[in-house]
Amino acid sequence: MASQKRISKELADCSASPPAGMSITLASDSDVHKWHITLDGPVGSAYAGGRFGLIVSLPTDYPFKPPVVTFATRIYHPNVTNDATGAICLGLLKPEQWKPSTRVQSVLEAVRALLVEPNPDDPLESRIADEYRANRAEFNRNARAYVNKYATGPVTFSSAAAAGSAAGSGSGSGDATGGKAQGS
Amino acid sequence: MPPPNTPGEGVPAAGSSPPESTEQYQVQVEAGQEQEDGRSRVAPPAAASPIPSIPPTPAASPPQAELPPRVSPPPTPELQFASITTSLESTSPPRPSLSTDQSTRPNRPLFYDHQALEYEGPYDETLQCPICRTPFYLPLTTRTCGHTFCAGCLRRALELRPVCPIDRQPIDKDHDIYQTRVINDQLDRLRVKCPNKGCDHVCTRDRLPAHYSRQCPFSMVPCPDRECSHRIIRMNADPDKACLHRETSCQYCSATVMIADLDSHYDNHCAGHTTKCTQCDSVVVRHRMEGHIAAECPETEVHCRWHPYGCNVFGRRATMQGHQRAGCVYEAIAKLTQARLDDRAVIDELKGRVSTLSSRLNQQEQELRGRSRPSMGHSTGVPVSDFDVHTSTRAASMPYNSAAWGSAEDYMLAQFERIETNAENLRKMVLEINGHHNLRQLNDTMRLDGLISELQSKIGVLGMHTTWLMNVQRQSRGQQRAGGVAGGPPAPEMSTGNSGNAGARMSTEGERLPYMGIPPRRHSNERGEGRGENPPRL
């Protein structure tokens, strides 16, 4: 009850003035706990021109527990698992760092900031982090390739579809090791 | 989001006697306060004095006066601590609950979800809890960093991690939290809507508990039947009526339903609860059929709306609407009749006014005749009519000329105006005279005032003289006596003194002490200068 009240309030705020480059919808009208966000790749970053789907799941005891934010669209990023789960490593969202006073809006802005400036010191994909540190041009090229491959069409939010498309077209990547998602 | 007042929320534990809801609420509120008090009590002495967090609910007579009042035993300190811990561990935070005492009071009190309250008008965002994003309920402030949260929100956050939910400063839930009264007062002034569905009452937040628990007709209250453990909307809780929680069988389906729930059963759940109207083909809730036929059904035959005015058209409601829309002839008649009635009312009012005016006119004519009769001697004799009277009597001062005055009424009006102006002049004169009178009175009074003050000062001087003379006499006597005994000098304290407040001391001190204003002159007197022998001049 309490969480619903706060969530619907935040949803109203976010819909009224969404963060830059984002649009927010509900996964289903009856459930305010699952948000679908379309995020335009920040201009000036390697992800410019891409459209990424983000899924925000708010737990029932939100705001006491952090929301879970995942990428529905695959992305080449040191802090996002390079598989269909799309888990994000964001300090703000870690249970021991989460503060009940943090709002979804600031979480979304943090995610966007993460695209502008990846954080290779706390990576989920250490290979990409190393590449980001050592060979920025190569990283940018790879990121752009992922954007062209996955993040150009209309955004789909169903993770199953994303997984299917990943298996069908992007099988060459061969890095879909889901176990890494919890590594960080 | 379920409505805050679903029966499920108010359903008590089974097998309990129904206590009074009001008492229950207060008990529960007190429990909340004690809990806060207990919290403050364990705080270090630097803490502000514990403040009850919930505004005192005004004492009002319980709604069910025939029930004996329940007296709640004051909780012991151990019990308070128990309540603190239990409520800190409870998962439904905003409800202060005295869980240890639940066995004796199984009925849940009238509670609403504070975070679901709707506020009327905007409120200051600083009054918003950063956790639940609603205006604070039982606000608590952290001592270490000064952040404020609802008691329940903070409690839950601290359960997870004992740090401030904003800046992660460590917080001891027993020592580092206190209340701020000013925030409470501000919150109390916010206007909220009653959370009950159907009730549109709006009041300040501190009055809502009273409204909700005592007045709101949509609140769930215990059934007036003391044997019954159910709750019922207050509106339907009539002590004279039998308990509505008996089960009865639905008259349409085979289900057994509580009498209190019959209406909602008919509307929503009754098997085959809808039926086709016998006249039109629309599907109607069976229970609402009568109302449908009386007001809605397009097939029911009805009279024209203007039937009372003579329209005899009679037919289906649908055609009747068409008939009326096309313009029933009798509508015009109805409107005319209405207009005539309105006019009649105006006419009646005017008639009344005319009659009062004419009676006043008569009265004035009588007066005039009475006044003019003495000077009527020279006229030709008994006047034929009032009109003649005027002709003859007013001739001397203001000749009445039927040619000059259009009619007798005009003449009367002119006279009347003249009298009125005279009266106005007289009033002015009276005012003027009054003013003169006042002025003169004022002048006289001022003169008298001067005289009186002069006299007062003279009396004062006379008093001084008397004192002076008495002193002189006393001294001379003393000198004589001293001369007779030792021949010593006069009393030394006479030589000091000031010359101020001459007349003030003469009543009491002046007789006991030597007169302070005199000594310099007495010295000069001793030196033999003649001027000092005279009393002070006026």
Side-chain angles (χ1 to χ4, degrees):
Chain A
M1 189 73 181
S3 71
Q4 277 199 355
K5 179 87 182 168
R6 167 161 168 175
I7 291 171
S8 41
K9 212 164 177 171
E10 286 201 40
L11 182 66
D13 288 350
C14 275
S15 308
S17 58
M22 298 195 198
S23 65
I24 294 155
T25 49
L26 280 184
S28 74
D29 285 343
S30 56
D31 182 16
V32 293
H33 290 275
K34 200 155 203 150
W35 297 15
H36 283 175
I37 288 126
T38 311
L39 165 64
D40 293 334
V43 179
S45 71
Y47 309 98
R51 290 181 81 99
F52 301 91
L54 277 174
I55 299 175
V56 178
S57 302
L58 300 158
T60 45
D61 42 3
Y62 178 81
F64 299 101
K65 294 282 168 60
V68 179
V69 185
T70 53
F71 269 95
T73 312
R74 294 198 47 178
I75 183 168
Y76 192 81
H77 192 283
N79 305 105
V80 183
T81 56
N82 197 0
D83 58 17
T85 35
I88 305 175
C89 174
L90 194 59
L92 193 70
L93 294 177
K94 290 178 183 170
E96 66 274 12
Q97 281 189 40
W98 169 253
K99 294 184 292 185
S101 55
T102 313
R103 289 189 290 174
V104 177
Q105 189 156 353
S106 31
V107 171
L108 294 177
E109 273 156 12
V111 171
R112 192 165 182 276
L114 201 64
L115 294 195
V116 176
E117 191 156 352
N119 178 13
D121 298 331
D122 188 14
L124 272 179
E125 298 285 348
S126 44
R127 191 190 59 75
I128 301 176
D130 290 342
E131 187 183 274
Y132 178 77
R133 263 191 297 241
N135 190 350
R136 186 68 61 89
E138 178 68 20
F139 167 81
N140 281 346
R141 202 162 41 245
N142 281 335
R144 197 97 15 95
Y146 262 70
V147 167
N148 291 333
K149 195 167 180 182
Y150 297 107
T152 43
V155 176
T156 51
F157 285 100
S158 102
S159 52
S165 72
S169 60
S171 55
S173 322
D175 47 13
T177 51
K180 270 193 237 168
Q182 317 306 328
S184 172
Chain B
M1 196 186 301
N5 194 20
T6 50
E9 195 170 342
V11 166
S16 59
S17 67
E20 279 172 304
S21 58
T22 324
E23 298 285 335
Q24 273 270 318
Y25 188 85
Q26 281 177 336
V27 164
Q28 219 58 14
V29 164
E30 282 158 16
Q33 289 180 1
E34 278 148 11
Q35 169 192 322
E36 305 304 336
D37 286 359
R39 184 195 282 278
S40 305
R41 211 165 288 148
V42 292
S49 62
I51 302 155
S53 55
I54 297 191
T57 40
S61 59
Q64 294 147 341
E66 67 273 12
L67 293 176
R70 283 171 65 99
V71 178
S72 65
T76 59
E78 292 78 25
L79 204 137
Q80 287 175 19
F81 281 111
S83 77
I84 299 166
T85 50
T86 47
S87 53
L88 279 172
E89 283 158 20
S90 76
T91 47
S92 59
R95 301 170 177 185
S97 60
L98 198 64
S99 340
T100 46
D101 212 14
Q102 283 293 313
S103 55
T104 54
R105 281 194 290 274
N107 265 8
R108 293 250 316 271
L110 293 170
F111 263 135
Y112 45 86
D113 186 346
H114 282 269
Q115 293 173 338
L117 285 181
E118 252 186 83
Y119 289 79
E120 203 191 51
Y123 52 83
D124 197 333
E125 281 208 0
T126 51
L127 288 179
Q128 197 170 272
C129 170
I131 295 180
C132 64
R133 303 267 163 207
T134 55
F136 297 113
Y137 175 59
L138 303 176
L140 295 176
T141 306
T142 60
R143 204 177 292 287
T144 42
C145 48
H147 290 123
T148 305
F149 309 92
C150 301
C153 298
L154 183 60
R155 211 171 286 144
R156 262 191 92 180
L158 294 185
E159 258 172 56
L160 292 166
R161 255 147 36 92
V163 296
C164 171
I166 289 182
D167 58 10
R168 302 211 191 93
Q169 295 231 34
I171 286 173
D172 182 348
K173 68 184 178 195
D174 294 327
H175 298 274
D176 294 341
I177 300 170
Y178 67 100
Q179 297 184 39
T180 329
R181 178 152 210 162
V182 67
I183 300 177
N184 249 332
D185 292 348
Q186 278 179 292
L187 290 164
D188 283 347
R189 278 197 223 154
L190 297 179
R191 292 180 70 75
V192 290
K193 290 173 185 156
C194 176
N196 278 334
K197 224 164 101 181
C199 180
D200 51 3
H201 182 81
V202 175
C203 60
T204 53
R205 209 175 85 167
D206 57 335
R207 290 187 185 274
L208 187 62
H211 165 79
Y212 189 84
S213 61
R214 299 207 182 91
Q215 287 144 20
C216 182
F218 296 94
S219 287
M220 299 293 279
V221 296
C223 181
D225 185 347
R226 303 185 68 184
E227 299 300 312
C228 175
S229 61
H230 287 89
R231 286 177 171 247
I232 188 170
I233 290 180
R234 176 174 288 123
M235 214 163 44
N236 294 340
D238 185 353
D240 298 334
K241 267 195 251 171
C243 171
L244 295 177
H245 292 106
R246 280 177 298 108
E247 293 200 326
T248 182
S249 56
C250 170
Q251 52 175 314
Y252 305 115
C253 64
S254 55
T256 50
V257 193
M258 293 257 192
I259 296 179
D261 300 335
L262 263 182
D263 270 355
S264 91
H265 169 77
Y266 287 144
D267 284 351
N268 302 316
H269 310 298
C270 182
H273 65 289
T274 54
T275 183
K276 266 193 177 176
C277 173
T278 46
Q279 315 211 17
C280 65
D281 278 346
S282 62
V283 178
V284 187
V285 173
R286 192 162 23 191
H287 189 59
R288 310 278 175 220
M289 188 59 79
E290 274 179 32
H292 167 75
I293 287 177
E296 294 162 11
C297 177
E299 296 298 316
T300 311
E301 295 199 319
V302 288
H303 278 291
C304 173
R305 187 180 152 198
W306 310 113
H307 178 62
Y309 297 102
C311 181
N312 280 327
V313 178
F314 180 76
R316 292 164 50 239
R317 182 172 276 126
T319 52
M320 198 54 66
Q321 280 169 357
H323 161 73
Q324 283 165 13
R325 216 174 299 131
C328 178
V329 184
Y330 288 91
E331 186 179 345
I333 294 178
K335 282 181 179 163
L336 275 176
T337 317
Q338 191 54 45
R340 220 185 117 235
L341 286 177
D342 293 347
D343 290 349
R344 170 71 56 78
V346 173
I347 288 170
D348 283 349
E349 195 203 329
L350 286 175
K351 262 186 189 166
R353 229 187 274 173
V354 165
S355 71
T356 50
L357 280 176
S358 62
S359 72
R360 249 166 69 188
L361 191 68
N362 273 340
Q363 205 179 330
Q364 282 176 348
E365 279 178 2
Q366 297 269 341
E367 275 174 21
L368 275 174
R369 204 184 310 167
R371 220 187 291 164
S372 58
R373 196 150 281 159
S375 62
M376 250 173 66
H378 68 277
S379 86
T380 50
V382 182
V384 184
S385 70
D386 285 348
F387 195 81
D388 288 343
V389 171
H390 295 304
T391 327
S392 50
T393 55
R394 303 305 295 174
S397 60
M398 191 179 177
Y400 172 72
N401 186 350
S402 59
W405 300 100
S407 65
E409 280 83 11
D410 283 353
Y411 173 70
M412 281 303 296
L413 278 174
Q415 291 294 319
F416 184 69
E417 272 171 20
R418 207 169 58 87
I419 291 169
E420 269 201 334
T421 45
N422 275 349
E424 189 58 37
N425 286 342
L426 281 173
R427 198 175 299 138
K428 274 184 198 155
M429 276 161 71
V430 165
L431 275 177
E432 210 173 321
I433 289 169
N434 212 5
H436 279 308
H437 185 73
N438 279 346
L439 199 67
R440 218 160 73 190
Q441 216 170 10
L442 196 71
N443 283 342
D444 285 358
T445 328
M446 275 168 69
R447 203 162 52 86
L448 286 174
D449 266 356
L451 280 174
I452 286 170
S453 53
E454 203 178 330
L455 283 173
Q456 268 175 343
S457 70
K458 272 184 183 166
I459 288 171
V461 172
L462 280 177
M464 276 160 58
H465 284 210
T466 321
T467 327
W468 185 80
L469 283 172
M470 280 170 73
N471 272 328
V472 167
Q473 208 168 6
R474 208 178 293 161
Q475 272 169 21
S476 63
R477 247 182 238 163
Q479 274 176 354
Q480 277 175 7
R481 216 174 296 150
V485 177
E493 72 267 21
M494 303 278 259
S495 58
T496 61
N498 53 31
S499 53
N501 53 6
R505 295 166 182 263
M506 66 184 201
S507 60
T508 52
E509 281 181 316
E511 287 162 15
R512 279 189 284 110
L513 298 170
Y515 180 50
M516 302 308 254
I518 301 308
R521 293 203 177 97
R522 198 180 50 76
H523 282 299
S524 65
N525 192 14
E526 278 173 352
R527 282 198 298 274
E529 287 170 20
R531 194 171 162 268
E533 287 184 354
N534 291 330
R537 297 171 62 86
L538 287 181

